[in-house]
Structure formats: C-alpha cells, structure tokens
Amino acid sequence: MKLTVWTYEGPPHIGAMRVAASMDGLHYVLHAPQGDTYADLLFTMIERRKSRPPVTYTTFQARDLGTDTAELFKTTARDAYERFTPEAMIVGASCTAELLQDDPGGITKAIGLPIPVIPLELPAYQKKENWGAAETLYRLVRTFASAPVERTPIAGRRSTCNILGPTSLGFRNRDDLVEIERLLERIGVDVNVVAPLGARPSDLARLGHADFNVVLYPEVAETAARWLSKTFDQPLVTTVPIGVGATRDFVREVAEIAGVDAASILDDESSRLPWYSRSIDSTYLTGKRVFVFGDATHALAAARVATEELGFTLVGLGTYSRERAREVRAAANEYGLEALITDDHLAVESAVDALQPELVLGTQMERHIAKRLSIPCAVISSPVHVQDFPARYSPQMGFEGSNVIFDTWVHPLMMGLEEHLLGMFREDFEFADGAGASHLASEQAPVAASRSLAWTADAEKELKKIPFFVRGKARRNTESFAKDQHLSEITVETLYEAKAHFSR
Amino acid sequence: MSALPVLHERGQREVFCGLTGIMWLHRKIQDAFFLIVGSRTCAHLMQSAAGVMIFAEPRFATAIIEDRDLAGLADSNEELDRVVSDLVARRPEIKTLFLVGSCPSEVIKLDLGRAAARLSQRLNAVRVLAYSGSGIETTFTEGEDACLEALVPEMPTLATKTRPSLLVVGALPDVVEDQFARMFSALGIEDVGFLPARSVDALPPVGPDTRYLLAQPFLGRTAHALEERGARHLPATFPFGVEGTTSWLRAAADAFGVRSGRFDEVVGPPAKRATRAIAHYAELLEGKRVFFFPDSQLEIPIARFLTREMGVQLIEVGAPYIHRDHMARELALLPRDVTLSEGQDVERQLDRCRAAAPDIAVCGLGLANPLEVEGITTKWSIELVFTPLHGYEQAGDLAELFARPLNRRSRLEV
Ligand code: SF4
Ligand code: SF4
C-alpha cells in the first residue's frame, strides 16, 4: 500500500477514456461502480467538452456482486451498442471490476456485435493513466492498421505523415496540433492521419499509407509508433518541437525525410523568442535558478528551453513518468544534476523547498507547491486544470509555442526594470511591506508554524526591508545559517553574516 | 391520500460514491483524519471531484492498494498498519482516524472494522474508526450517513433525566449550526447537541431521553443506530425554506413543550426576514419548469421548497434513494402530477429531460455542460451540498442558487 494525497496520474482506464474521448465513432464500455463516473467531469468541466465522453459504465452495486455482474456487463454493452451505434468498441474494467474477473472482452465477443470490439487489459494496481492511453492507442492501431500497404518512393511527390499522440485532456494538445499541422504544411508535407485526436477507427486503417510518423507526445504515442514503424517501415520523427531549438530540429528532421529544403522556415519571422531573449530587458533572466518537473516530454523540453533559450540555470529536473525515467536521468546528468523520479508530490515539495529556486516550471501540483513557498511558477505539463484550457490560441509547440512560452515563463518573474527599481526604492515606505510590482499579486509568504529561532525586533525590521520576493529565501537562509552556528537568536548581524555566507 | 407513484430505475448511475462525503466531513470534524483504503481511482476521484488541491495537506489521504497487496506478497493488514503508523507519526495532531472502505477494499474483503479495533488498541492516543464510502455500497451523501453511523457507538451515554435533550443530526456548516443553536436557546431548549460535533472528543451524549431532529435527509442508517441507543425521532420536514424550517423547529418546540406564544415570538422575525429574502426570487422562478437528476437525496426537500414557496413547476424529481419514512412529510407536500424517480438509468433520464425541455435541470457536473450545449439551463447539484442552505437566514441563498443560472442566461447576448 502506498500513502497518497494527490496523484500526478489517474488510473489506466482514465488513459483509455482520453483516447476514446479523442476519437469519433468509438465507444468505451467500462465495467465499474457508480462512483467511477466522476471521470466524465474531467472532460465536461476541465476541458469544457460539449458532449459527454463516449463511455458507458455498468455501475454495478454490492447487490449485483452476489448475482451476476457478467450479465450486467453483457446487457450494458448491448444497450450501449444499440444507443450509440459506434464504428468500434473498446471494453474493459476499472480497478474494482478487475478484481471480479468477469472478462469483458470474452462477454462482448459472445454477444456477437457486428462491429470490431477491442478488449483492453489495463492492470489498475500496477499501471497508470499515460500507460493506459498508450496501450489503448496501440491496441486500436494494431486492430485497424494491419493490412499491408504498398507505397511509392517519395521522390517526385509530396510526402505524407501521421501525427500521433494528441489526446483529449492533454496539456495544450488542441493548439499544438494546429501549430504543427501548419508547420508541416509550410514544410510541404501532407498529413495523412492524426490519431487519436479527431480520428475515427476507420481512419486508423489508413495509417500505413503515410511515409513517416510524427511522434508528438511519446507518453501516449510511442508504443503505437514503434509498431507502425516496424510494420510499415515508416521512419519516426521523435523530436518534440517545444522551444525554438527543438522546433528547428524538428523542421530539419522532417525535411530530411520528406526530401525537401526547409532552410527558409528555420528563421521564422514570427518567432520572437530569440530576439526577446537577447533584448537587454531580459538580462535579468540570466542565471535564474529554475526547477523543472512534469511528464518526461514536457520536463525535458522545458529544461532545454530554460537553459538554451532563456539563459536560466537548471537546479532541478524531474518527472513522474517512470516509464521514461532513463531518458530523464540521462538528461539530468548532462546538466550536472540528479533527476528526481517520483510520483510523490511531497518529495517534489521538499526538493523545491530545499533548492529554493527562483522559478518553478511544473504541473498544477507544483503550482500549488510553489504558491505555498511563495516562488513564481508556470505550468508546463499535465496534470491539468480548467485554466490550462485557455480560450485563446496558446500552443506550446512550434514557433508560436515558443512565443507563448516566453510570455508565460517570464511573466511570473519580476520585469527586469521593475526589479531594479524595487531594489533602489526598498527603503520607501510603500515597499516596506509586501508591496510588489503591480503585475504580481501581493501574497504574503506563509510563516512556518514552528519557528524555534527568535528574531530580534531589529533583525525582523531589517528583514522587512528586503523585497518580499526574496524575503522568504533570506529568512530561510538566515535561519539555517543560525541553526548551523548554534545561535539561539537572530540579530541584524546574523542576517548579514548569513547573507555573506550564502553569497560566497 | 395514496402515495405518489415512484418510477424505479436501474441502469447507469451518474453519481459520486460515498467517498466524496469526506470533502465536507474532514472540514467539519476538525480533529479527524480520513484514510481511504482504496485504489488510484479513489485518490483520483478525491482530487477531481471538488478541485480541493488548495489545502496543502488536507486531513484525508488514500492508502492505495497495489499489486503486491493483491498477489498476497504483502499482508494487507500489516501494510495497513505500516501506512497508519507512518501517517500518525507525520501528523501527530490526529486524534481520530477514520479508515474509509472503498469498492476494492470491500471486494477483497479487507475487514476495516477489525483493523480499526486492532489499531485503536495499538495506538492508544488515536481513536480509530471505520466505515465504508464505497461506490458499491454508498451513493454520494450516504458516505456521511455511514460515517455518522460509525460515530454513534462513540457517543457517551446520556444520564437519565427528568427532561429530554435535543440532538440535531447531520453535518451543517458551522455558521448554520450556530444559528440553530441560538434559535433553540431562544426557544428555551437548552440541552442541544449536534452530530457530528466539531471534534470527535466532544461528541454529544445519547440515550432514551434523546429526541433527535434530522437536519439532512440522507441519514437512514445513522437514525437507525440512534434508535438502537434509545433516541427518538422528531418527524418533520427538512429545514429548507421558510415552511420547512418552521415545521422543523416546531417539531422540536412541540416535543419540548415550548409555548406557542414564545415560538411565534422567536421564530417570527427571522421567518419574516426569510420570506422577504425569497420574495424577490419568486418573481423570477414562478412557473419555471424544473427537472431534478438524482444526486444527494436533497432533491425532494428542495423540490418541495421550490414548488411551494417559489411557485416552480416540477417535472421530474429524481433521487438516488427515497427513505419512505423520513421523506413521508415531504412527499405529502409535493403536487400529485410530479414524476418521482428513484435510482437511475442516465440515458433514459436524459431522454426524458430533453423531451420535457425544462427551464432548469438540476444535475451533476458530468452532465451540466453537455445539457447547456443542448440549450437546457442547469444548476449543479453539488452546490446544494457544498453551500450553506439550511434555515431561515439561508433561504434567500437557496432561492438565488436557482435564480442565478436563469439570470445569467438572460444577460448573455452571444
Ligand atoms: S466508486 Fe469505488 S472504486 Fe470508484 S472511487 Fe468510489 S470507492 Fe473508489
Ligand atoms: S486551482 Fe488548484 S485546487 Fe483549484 S481546482 Fe485547480 S488545481 Fe485544484
């Protein structure tokens, strides 16, 4: 058993739901108790989806356990077919139903529905949401894309590709897809099939016609992409185009496979990040200590953008995607760090607390951690919340995505000039307590409950003169310094001793 | 008068399980911690259902059952003991720990009652209790019923007295609880307890001299446990709206021999205030057609308020379960032409709702946006549980809750 308060990923059947909800003409019949229907609100509330996700739950109750839950599954599957007449159906069990061992696949096969039925085995006590999504997509792809395909050589025609991985509830997937489709269009590549977002089961049958696959979100797409690559001899584009550098790499990779010259696209006029980052106002970004945590794809991309494109210093890198721990470890190594691989948000919190970064790039979970520690934060990855589905177009991928990233990461930090002014006027009464730059909510750092160290009145007053956005750090540094020195009291002297100590 | 016919439905239910009750119970009972023994699904439900991540370390958590627990590699009881010890070590302020059963813990027959007894003995500073909030046993608010039922044996015994004492049963927001306490005191009923109390250590006593009022309509099992301890129910409508609140208070006043002059004196001013507060909304709600999807069992009392005080026309009132006894007085006040449904087949109910095209559909979060897209104005039923709505001072808020979506619809031009 594992003690958990918040989780980065839901159970694997939520991943399957995300795939089902991404597609048209596919229905998911899930053997599950009534409470599991909460999952619908992820789609209707968080994503503001306009229709219920295409999922029917058996909602068995205790009284059914004694009788026949298998029978209930059978009627539910039959009724769902009649009501929704999907092109294909996926069937499976949630955690509770897995224990009942009713065999949803076998039952559905026995009723002989006139459509393909794909049974899903998603071990709920072992695996999690992203794995569930990847497995579901893989099963679907294997079922529908198995016919052999003859392709003509690319030379002399426009090439085509599949885009794999965008899903419902994925972090900015909706807009990323638009951005990448536009980019491919400019490179001169046609999109054959996008899956799962917007695909029908019958579209999956055409996957083999493409010349290559773009693996946009490896967490969801990698298993299916590997199989496609092997089966249809399709190369994979695996660069995830987040950030200017990665977008350029992506363009080069695609252009090479497609056999076209894409040099003109590399220095896109609308790509403002490179100049904004070089403009002098951004000087203050130099060496900002940044902590990055998220799914592997977004964490790796954020680390690269943070260091190569914004000139930050990476002080922590981690992921909850255990499936991709190796890659993240290797990357962290390159940055001279040890990766934090965990799905325990408390471990992330203590890492952030210990490192005291100046910016946290993480999930909604890290946003809360950072808020508690009064550290600026931007969200870069799932798990998502309603505010991660903004009304405006705001991709993370491609050149426009980089522009969005520049804005959203820099915004929580002090504007360069403003920081400067704050330093100059820190003696001014207006800044004396918690008056921050106008674009920042003036939020007081929560004072830790048990402070064993006493601050003298003078020291406390001196501390208040320090701008609020570094005050928490100054307090913590001073206290830890005092503790190391076995001091029982903190004076103004101690404050500056500590400052000197830490600035070495 | 014969009972209203009830449409019994069996099919897909679109409701939360009893675990969700922890959302408000952990805030109400301030010295208690709720440990769900369940799966990743249960943990995910807790964080998705109410968006409550804001509480740094809330007083609930999930012990997630893993493969090795199922494969028998790890003795589940030992594992549970280990998790509990870790938890208690980290959160020394915990005085009462609820082990909350889930579907998986029930299906693998993990006996949490036994575990609670064992752990209570081992950790003598912590009282460990158990109840089930599983989706195969409990629907949404029934989780509170199960929790309170587990608290009843912990209540001290009420010394035999010449005069009875009053117990108000059902978790109420503190502000509402305080209002009621003041009312009872003004009526001269001095000996009043509330279940749940704000701390498990301060549970009110119970015994044959206890007369209890139900503040919530979903407490069948708790009521039964109280009866077992000799307490007697004061049947009344539930305290929603002016009429419901007055009859609820009157049930207590009659049982405690409060003079009717005094009753009118005490109840008159706030009742008048409430009447004024709701009048304004009645104009907007009058004649509006309302359809209730089943959710919290609050549907019937609130539908009664809407129809009798707001002039709303009820189309269908769905409830996950109808307690015939506790609901008797409410049902008697409903118009004869309403469709009452119990249980759910969500697809068929949606068909009925679309066909009826109500002015407001009261439904869960999973259904609300899709219905809005279809042009049906909705009210999220979860707000009926999370918002203080009981009693006179909240009657206006209760009415406003239904007026707001209509108001909003009428403003939007795009
Ligand atoms: S319905 Fe059962 S398995 Fe699902 S969240 Fe509730 S208790 Fe957990
Ligand atoms: S803002 Fe935070 S707490 Fe609120 S719902 Fe979103 S993620 Fe959860």
Side-chain angles (χ1 to χ4, degrees), chain A residues 33-36 95-96, chain B residues 17 19 39 41-42 45 102-104 133-135:
Chain A
Q34 60 182 351
D36 292 8
C95 56
T96 309
Chain B
C17 58
L19 294 184
S39 63
T41 314
C42 309
L45 158 92
S102 67
C103 306
S134 83

Side-chain angles (χ1 to χ4, degrees), chain B residues 67-253:
Chain B
D67 229 26
R68 45 198 297 275
D69 301 301
L70 300 175
L73 292 175
D75 179 301
S76 310
N77 284 304
E78 277 170 28
E79 280 290 294
L80 182 59
D81 290 8
R82 180 182 58 77
V83 167
V84 169
S85 316
D86 289 355
L87 178 66
V88 171
R90 206 173 73 214
R91 306 290 297 269
E93 76 282 5
I94 299 173
K95 293 278 181 321
T96 300
L97 176 66
F98 286 100
L99 301 179
V100 187
S102 67
C103 306
S105 80
E106 271 171 34
V107 171
I108 64 172
K109 300 206 159 46
L110 193 56
D111 188 339
L112 295 182
R114 283 245 307 272
R118 180 179 70 236
L119 284 160
S120 267
Q121 227 159 33
R122 185 170 309 172
L123 312 160
N124 44 31
V126 185
R127 184 195 325 229
V128 187
L129 301 172
Y131 73 88
S132 169
S134 83
I136 55 177
E137 292 278 355
T138 60
T139 302
F140 195 23
T141 47
E142 286 171 354
E144 174 177 329
D145 191 20
C147 174
L148 300 193
E149 184 192 20
L151 281 175
V152 172
E154 303 297 310
M155 295 165 79
T157 304
L158 180 71
T160 340
K161 302 183 296 193
T162 44
R163 284 200 303 174
S165 76
L166 178 65
L167 182 67
V168 178
V169 188
L172 292 169
D174 291 352
V175 48
V176 177
E177 187 180 308
D178 293 342
Q179 287 167 10
F180 283 148
R182 282 198 298 273
M183 288 292 264
F184 289 126
S185 156
L187 288 170
I189 307 173
E190 287 303 341
D191 201 358
V192 184
F194 289 86
L195 180 71
R198 289 173 206 189
S199 112
V200 179
D201 278 343
L203 280 177
V206 64
D209 290 324
T210 301
R211 302 290 171 272
Y212 69 93
L213 274 176
L214 290 174
Q216 299 285 18
F218 42 74
L219 298 173
R221 286 160 60 168
T222 307
H224 184 75
L226 288 168
E227 301 275 342
E228 301 261 282
R229 293 200 58 183
R232 270 189 285 145
H233 183 209
L234 302 176
T237 53
F238 292 91
F240 295 103
V242 181
E243 182 187 35
T245 306
T246 304
S247 111
W248 189 75
L249 290 169
R250 191 184 297 283

Side-chain angles (χ1 to χ4, degrees), chain A residues 424-453:
Chain A
M424 251 162 79
F425 292 118
R426 74 169 63 152
E427 297 290 317
D428 192 297
F429 71 95
E430 265 198 272
F431 291 123
D433 207 355
S438 52
H439 67 286
L440 290 178
S442 75
E443 219 179 274
Q444 297 285 323
V447 180
S450 65
R451 294 230 176 265
S452 51
L453 284 159

